[in-house]
Amino acid sequence: MEPVRPATGDGSFPYQAVIRPLPLEYQLLEFIGTITEGTAMNRLRLFLKRLLTPVTILLVPHCRTKPVSIRLPVLAIASSVCLFLLGASVVVAMSVRAVEHQRMKEKLSYLSSQFLEMKDTMHSLRQAERDFRKLFGVKSKAAVLESADPADTGSLDMEVLREQIEASMRSVTDIRKYIAEQKDLYLATPAGWPVSGHLSSLYGTRLHPVHEEPRFHTGVDISVPTGTKVSATANGIVSFSGWAENSGIVVVVEHGRGFSTAYAHNQKTLVAVGQRVVRGDPVALSGSTGISTGPHVHYEIWKNGRHTDPAGYLARR
């Protein structure tokens, strides 16, 4: 039955308002929505309740002390596990990066060692090139390029190139050996004056100043003030240092390559037998010991067991 309500419009025409009930399907949908919302809320409450439900962890020691219990909510335990997994992943990532860093460091060290070896090789090649220039007067690589075979095909024959490299290395080795021998010979060859003074007596036959008769003079005499430092004229080892009849205080140095030098009539020796000296090292102080008419240095050079004229060696330097 529909209720009738009086209504007024403009005061002259009454009308009736009719309230009709909602259809059944709309009421059913509204009822289902209400039940669904209630179920979702219940599930959410249940889930939160489970998360906040405390869990008791019991720690039982092996001794007689009382066990310890710890109450923690499930949420705290889950959060701890998540944090642990996150921390473990970070540690693993850092470990992997550390291993990669170590590998990169080792690779860098290997590359650095290879670079140093290549640098040493380049230095050796440059040194060899300088040696070539010194020995053969080649001022640049132009002479090598000008002498190259113009019938080059434009491709590399690795076998021929390898043989040429081996031959070049043998040549460089031979040249280095030759230079080393020449350096040893240079350092062993007397050169220059043992003292700076006046040449008072030459090598050869002369009238002896004391015995006043012709005798062969086996060295040269250099007049200098007493106490002047007498220097070795080549690298060597002292074989005699002391007094000798007629020659006074004498120093003899063996230089190798068949050379020996002697310095006589000294006031004092400055070296001992077996001592190594290099060119320019002081070996004695000049004097007038032995048979002598005044302060001077008697200088002799022996080659292959025979005395030789020092004049040709005094000008070398």
Side-chain angles (χ1 to χ4, degrees):
M1 181 175 180
E2 297 180 358
V4 178
R5 296 179 182 179
T8 60
D10 56 0
S12 59
F13 298 99
Y15 67 92
Q16 293 180 348
V18 180
I19 301 175
R20 295 179 182 274
L22 292 174
L24 181 61
E25 58 270 17
Y26 289 108
Q27 295 179 7
L28 181 60
L29 290 174
E30 184 179 358
F31 177 72
I32 292 173
T34 304
I35 294 175
T36 304
E37 289 179 1
T39 304
M41 290 299 297
N42 290 334
R43 289 181 179 178
L44 180 61
R45 292 191 188 96
L46 181 61
F47 178 73
L48 293 176
K49 183 178 180 181
R50 289 179 179 178
L51 287 180
L52 298 176
T53 299
V55 175
T56 302
I57 300 175
L58 187 62
L59 302 178
V60 180
H62 292 283
C63 57
R64 295 183 178 180
T65 57
K66 294 182 179 181
V68 179
S69 61
I70 302 175
R71 292 173 60 87
L72 295 173
V74 175
L75 179 61
I77 297 176
S79 301
S80 301
V81 172
C82 293
L83 291 175
F84 172 77
L85 294 177
L86 179 62
S89 62
V90 172
V91 171
V92 171
M94 293 181 63
S95 300
V96 172
R97 290 189 178 183
V99 172
E100 293 179 353
H101 175 74
Q102 182 64 25
R103 290 179 180 175
M104 292 180 64
K105 185 177 180 180
E106 292 175 356
K107 187 174 182 180
L108 179 61
S109 177
Y110 172 76
L111 293 176
S112 300
S113 63
Q114 293 294 315
F115 175 76
L116 291 177
E117 290 180 3
M118 292 178 65
K119 186 176 180 181
D120 293 339
T121 302
M122 292 299 299
H123 177 74
S124 300
L125 291 175
R126 289 176 182 174
Q127 183 63 38
E129 184 179 3
R130 287 194 291 267
D131 296 340
F132 286 147
R133 292 180 183 180
K134 290 179 182 178
L135 292 175
F136 306 111
V138 178
K139 296 182 179 179
S140 66
K141 298 179 180 178
V144 178
L145 297 176
E146 291 173 359
S147 62
D149 186 3
D152 188 8
T153 61
S155 61
L156 291 176
D157 188 335
M158 296 305 296
E159 185 65 24
V160 175
L161 183 61
R162 184 181 62 80
E163 294 177 356
Q164 291 178 353
I165 292 175
E166 291 179 356
S168 299
M169 293 305 295
R170 288 194 296 269
S171 299
V172 170
T173 302
D174 293 339
I175 290 174
R176 288 186 180 278
K177 182 179 179 181
Y178 172 77
I179 292 175
E181 292 176 352
Q182 292 300 312
K183 181 178 180 180
D184 292 341
L185 179 60
Y186 168 75
L187 294 176
T189 302
W193 291 56
V195 289
S196 179
H198 171 66
L199 197 62
S200 58
S201 182
L202 301 177
Y203 174 86
T205 303
R206 66 167 185 173
L207 183 65
H208 195 280
V210 177
H211 299 289
E212 296 183 351
E213 59 182 16
R215 290 189 178 182
F216 192 87
H217 192 216
T218 56
V220 294
D221 291 341
I222 305 173
S223 298
V224 289
T226 301
T228 302
K229 288 185 179 180
V230 182
S231 301
T233 55
N235 296 5
I237 299 177
V238 178
S239 59
F240 183 84
S241 178
W243 181 269
E245 188 177 357
N246 299 330
S247 297
I249 297 177
V250 180
V251 174
V252 179
V253 181
E254 302 293 334
H255 306 287
R257 301 286 180 172
F259 285 103
S260 303
T261 54
Y263 315 84
H265 302 297
N266 299 297
Q267 180 190 44
K268 180 182 179 182
T269 178
L270 300 178
V271 292
V273 174
Q275 181 176 336
R276 290 182 176 271
V277 295
V278 298
R279 181 178 289 139
D281 284 351
V283 295
L285 298 179
S286 64
S288 185
T289 57
I291 300 177
S292 173
T293 58
H296 71 285
V297 175
H298 175 78
Y299 177 52
E300 288 190 13
I301 297 178
W302 288 68
K303 185 177 181 181
N304 298 325
R306 298 176 62 87
H307 53 75
T308 184
D309 189 356
Y313 297 89
L314 294 176
R316 297 183 181 182
R317 204 47 193 187

PDB file of all heavy atoms in Angstrom, residues 158-173:
ATOM      1  N   MET A 158     107.276 -13.102 -40.938  1.00  0.00           N
ATOM      2  CA  MET A 158     107.595 -13.202 -39.526  1.00  0.00           C
ATOM      3  C   MET A 158     108.827 -14.054 -39.291  1.00  0.00           C
ATOM      4  O   MET A 158     109.625 -13.772 -38.385  1.00  0.00           O
ATOM      5  CB  MET A 158     106.412 -13.776 -38.752  1.00  0.00           C
ATOM      6  CG  MET A 158     105.173 -12.876 -38.777  1.00  0.00           C
ATOM      7  SD  MET A 158     105.525 -11.206 -38.206  1.00  0.00           S
ATOM      8  CE  MET A 158     105.969 -11.525 -36.509  1.00  0.00           C
ATOM      9  N   GLU A 159     109.026 -15.086 -40.082  1.00  0.00           N
ATOM     10  CA  GLU A 159     110.200 -15.946 -39.899  1.00  0.00           C
ATOM     11  C   GLU A 159     111.475 -15.183 -40.203  1.00  0.00           C
ATOM     12  O   GLU A 159     112.453 -15.220 -39.452  1.00  0.00           O
ATOM     13  CB  GLU A 159     110.082 -17.181 -40.799  1.00  0.00           C
ATOM     14  CG  GLU A 159     111.195 -18.201 -40.600  1.00  0.00           C
ATOM     15  CD  GLU A 159     111.172 -18.820 -39.208  1.00  0.00           C
ATOM     16  OE1 GLU A 159     110.087 -18.828 -38.579  1.00  0.00           O
ATOM     17  OE2 GLU A 159     112.232 -19.277 -38.754  1.00  0.00           O
ATOM     18  N   VAL A 160     111.454 -14.444 -41.325  1.00  0.00           N
ATOM     19  CA  VAL A 160     112.628 -13.631 -41.682  1.00  0.00           C
ATOM     20  C   VAL A 160     112.846 -12.543 -40.648  1.00  0.00           C
ATOM     21  O   VAL A 160     113.975 -12.257 -40.241  1.00  0.00           O
ATOM     22  CB  VAL A 160     112.445 -13.026 -43.090  1.00  0.00           C
ATOM     23  CG1 VAL A 160     113.590 -12.078 -43.419  1.00  0.00           C
ATOM     24  CG2 VAL A 160     112.352 -14.135 -44.134  1.00  0.00           C
ATOM     25  N   LEU A 161     111.741 -11.936 -40.218  1.00  0.00           N
ATOM     26  CA  LEU A 161     111.861 -10.880 -39.212  1.00  0.00           C
ATOM     27  C   LEU A 161     112.440 -11.427 -37.912  1.00  0.00           C
ATOM     28  O   LEU A 161     113.278 -10.785 -37.277  1.00  0.00           O
ATOM     29  CB  LEU A 161     110.488 -10.268 -38.965  1.00  0.00           C
ATOM     30  CG  LEU A 161     110.435  -9.083 -37.988  1.00  0.00           C
ATOM     31  CD1 LEU A 161     111.277  -7.937 -38.506  1.00  0.00           C
ATOM     32  CD2 LEU A 161     108.991  -8.628 -37.799  1.00  0.00           C
ATOM     33  N   ARG A 162     112.001 -12.628 -37.513  1.00  0.00           N
ATOM     34  CA  ARG A 162     112.531 -13.234 -36.283  1.00  0.00           C
ATOM     35  C   ARG A 162     114.030 -13.500 -36.415  1.00  0.00           C
ATOM     36  O   ARG A 162     114.804 -13.236 -35.497  1.00  0.00           O
ATOM     37  CB  ARG A 162     111.795 -14.538 -35.996  1.00  0.00           C
ATOM     38  CG  ARG A 162     112.197 -15.210 -34.695  1.00  0.00           C
ATOM     39  CD  ARG A 162     111.442 -16.505 -34.505  1.00  0.00           C
ATOM     40  NE  ARG A 162     111.756 -17.454 -35.556  1.00  0.00           N
ATOM     41  CZ  ARG A 162     112.868 -18.217 -35.567  1.00  0.00           C
ATOM     42  NH1 ARG A 162     113.740 -18.131 -34.579  1.00  0.00           N
ATOM     43  NH2 ARG A 162     113.088 -19.063 -36.546  1.00  0.00           N
ATOM     44  N   GLU A 163     114.457 -14.004 -37.572  1.00  0.00           N
ATOM     45  CA  GLU A 163     115.885 -14.253 -37.783  1.00  0.00           C
ATOM     46  C   GLU A 163     116.681 -12.945 -37.751  1.00  0.00           C
ATOM     47  O   GLU A 163     117.789 -12.898 -37.204  1.00  0.00           O
ATOM     48  CB  GLU A 163     116.088 -14.962 -39.116  1.00  0.00           C
ATOM     49  CG  GLU A 163     115.498 -16.379 -39.152  1.00  0.00           C
ATOM     50  CD  GLU A 163     115.660 -17.016 -40.518  1.00  0.00           C
ATOM     51  OE1 GLU A 163     116.158 -16.322 -41.435  1.00  0.00           O
ATOM     52  OE2 GLU A 163     115.280 -18.204 -40.669  1.00  0.00           O
ATOM     53  N   GLN A 164     116.097 -11.895 -38.338  1.00  0.00           N
ATOM     54  CA  GLN A 164     116.793 -10.603 -38.322  1.00  0.00           C
ATOM     55  C   GLN A 164     116.904 -10.057 -36.904  1.00  0.00           C
ATOM     56  O   GLN A 164     117.927  -9.475 -36.532  1.00  0.00           O
ATOM     57  CB  GLN A 164     116.054  -9.613 -39.221  1.00  0.00           C
ATOM     58  CG  GLN A 164     116.153  -9.950 -40.703  1.00  0.00           C
ATOM     59  CD  GLN A 164     115.372  -8.973 -41.564  1.00  0.00           C
ATOM     60  OE1 GLN A 164     114.645  -8.124 -41.033  1.00  0.00           O
ATOM     61  NE2 GLN A 164     115.520  -9.098 -42.866  1.00  0.00           N
ATOM     62  N   ILE A 165     115.829 -10.239 -36.111  1.00  0.00           N
ATOM     63  CA  ILE A 165     115.883  -9.773 -34.718  1.00  0.00           C
ATOM     64  C   ILE A 165     116.949 -10.536 -33.945  1.00  0.00           C
ATOM     65  O   ILE A 165     117.723  -9.953 -33.171  1.00  0.00           O
ATOM     66  CB  ILE A 165     114.496  -9.930 -34.062  1.00  0.00           C
ATOM     67  CG1 ILE A 165     113.510  -8.945 -34.692  1.00  0.00           C
ATOM     68  CG2 ILE A 165     114.574  -9.716 -32.559  1.00  0.00           C
ATOM     69  CD1 ILE A 165     112.097  -9.115 -34.198  1.00  0.00           C
ATOM     70  N   GLU A 166     117.009 -11.862 -34.133  1.00  0.00           N
ATOM     71  CA  GLU A 166     118.027 -12.659 -33.445  1.00  0.00           C
ATOM     72  C   GLU A 166     119.429 -12.227 -33.865  1.00  0.00           C
ATOM     73  O   GLU A 166     120.331 -12.116 -33.032  1.00  0.00           O
ATOM     74  CB  GLU A 166     117.804 -14.137 -33.742  1.00  0.00           C
ATOM     75  CG  GLU A 166     116.538 -14.716 -33.107  1.00  0.00           C
ATOM     76  CD  GLU A 166     116.337 -16.168 -33.453  1.00  0.00           C
ATOM     77  OE1 GLU A 166     117.139 -16.701 -34.252  1.00  0.00           O
ATOM     78  OE2 GLU A 166     115.391 -16.795 -32.921  1.00  0.00           O
ATOM     79  N   ALA A 167     119.594 -11.972 -35.161  1.00  0.00           N
ATOM     80  CA  ALA A 167     120.909 -11.518 -35.630  1.00  0.00           C
ATOM     81  C   ALA A 167     121.255 -10.153 -35.043  1.00  0.00           C
ATOM     82  O   ALA A 167     122.402  -9.903 -34.653  1.00  0.00           O
ATOM     83  CB  ALA A 167     120.915 -11.455 -37.161  1.00  0.00           C
ATOM     84  N   SER A 168     120.253  -9.280 -34.952  1.00  0.00           N
ATOM     85  CA  SER A 168     120.500  -7.957 -34.377  1.00  0.00           C
ATOM     86  C   SER A 168     120.866  -8.066 -32.902  1.00  0.00           C
ATOM     87  O   SER A 168     121.767  -7.367 -32.418  1.00  0.00           O
ATOM     88  CB  SER A 168     119.262  -7.074 -34.545  1.00  0.00           C
ATOM     89  OG  SER A 168     118.956  -6.891 -35.912  1.00  0.00           O
ATOM     90  N   MET A 169     120.173  -8.946 -32.178  1.00  0.00           N
ATOM     91  CA  MET A 169     120.486  -9.121 -30.762  1.00  0.00           C
ATOM     92  C   MET A 169     121.889  -9.677 -30.576  1.00  0.00           C
ATOM     93  O   MET A 169     122.613  -9.275 -29.662  1.00  0.00           O
ATOM     94  CB  MET A 169     119.461 -10.048 -30.112  1.00  0.00           C
ATOM     95  CG  MET A 169     118.055  -9.450 -30.050  1.00  0.00           C
ATOM     96  SD  MET A 169     117.998  -7.845 -29.220  1.00  0.00           S
ATOM     97  CE  MET A 169     118.461  -8.330 -27.567  1.00  0.00           C
ATOM     98  N   ARG A 170     122.300 -10.602 -31.456  1.00  0.00           N
ATOM     99  CA  ARG A 170     123.676 -11.100 -31.378  1.00  0.00           C
ATOM    100  C   ARG A 170     124.664  -9.981 -31.647  1.00  0.00           C
ATOM    101  O   ARG A 170     125.706  -9.876 -30.987  1.00  0.00           O
ATOM    102  CB  ARG A 170     123.878 -12.251 -32.364  1.00  0.00           C
ATOM    103  CG  ARG A 170     123.181 -13.547 -31.948  1.00  0.00           C
ATOM    104  CD  ARG A 170     123.696 -14.714 -32.771  1.00  0.00           C
ATOM    105  NE  ARG A 170     123.373 -14.545 -34.192  1.00  0.00           N
ATOM    106  CZ  ARG A 170     122.265 -15.007 -34.763  1.00  0.00           C
ATOM    107  NH1 ARG A 170     121.361 -15.637 -34.031  1.00  0.00           N
ATOM    108  NH2 ARG A 170     122.038 -14.834 -36.048  1.00  0.00           N
ATOM    109  N   SER A 171     124.337  -9.133 -32.625  1.00  0.00           N
ATOM    110  CA  SER A 171     125.229  -8.010 -32.929  1.00  0.00           C
ATOM    111  C   SER A 171     125.324  -7.054 -31.754  1.00  0.00           C
ATOM    112  O   SER A 171     126.407  -6.583 -31.398  1.00  0.00           O
ATOM    113  CB  SER A 171     124.727  -7.272 -34.180  1.00  0.00           C
ATOM    114  OG  SER A 171     124.711  -8.130 -35.299  1.00  0.00           O
ATOM    115  N   VAL A 172     124.154  -6.772 -31.141  1.00  0.00           N
ATOM    116  CA  VAL A 172     124.155  -5.877 -29.972  1.00  0.00           C
ATOM    117  C   VAL A 172     124.968  -6.483 -28.844  1.00  0.00           C
ATOM    118  O   VAL A 172     125.741  -5.787 -28.167  1.00  0.00           O
ATOM    119  CB  VAL A 172     122.712  -5.596 -29.522  1.00  0.00           C
ATOM    120  CG1 VAL A 172     122.700  -4.873 -28.190  1.00  0.00           C
ATOM    121  CG2 VAL A 172     121.985  -4.768 -30.572  1.00  0.00           C
ATOM    122  N   THR A 173     124.841  -7.802 -28.644  1.00  0.00           N
ATOM    123  CA  THR A 173     125.619  -8.470 -27.592  1.00  0.00           C
ATOM    124  C   THR A 173     127.106  -8.370 -27.875  1.00  0.00           C
ATOM    125  O   THR A 173     127.910  -8.089 -26.971  1.00  0.00           O
ATOM    126  CB  THR A 173     125.196  -9.941 -27.488  1.00  0.00           C
ATOM    127  OG1 THR A 173     123.784 -10.008 -27.203  1.00  0.00           O
ATOM    128  CG2 THR A 173     125.958 -10.648 -26.377  1.00  0.00           C
TER     129      THR A 173
END
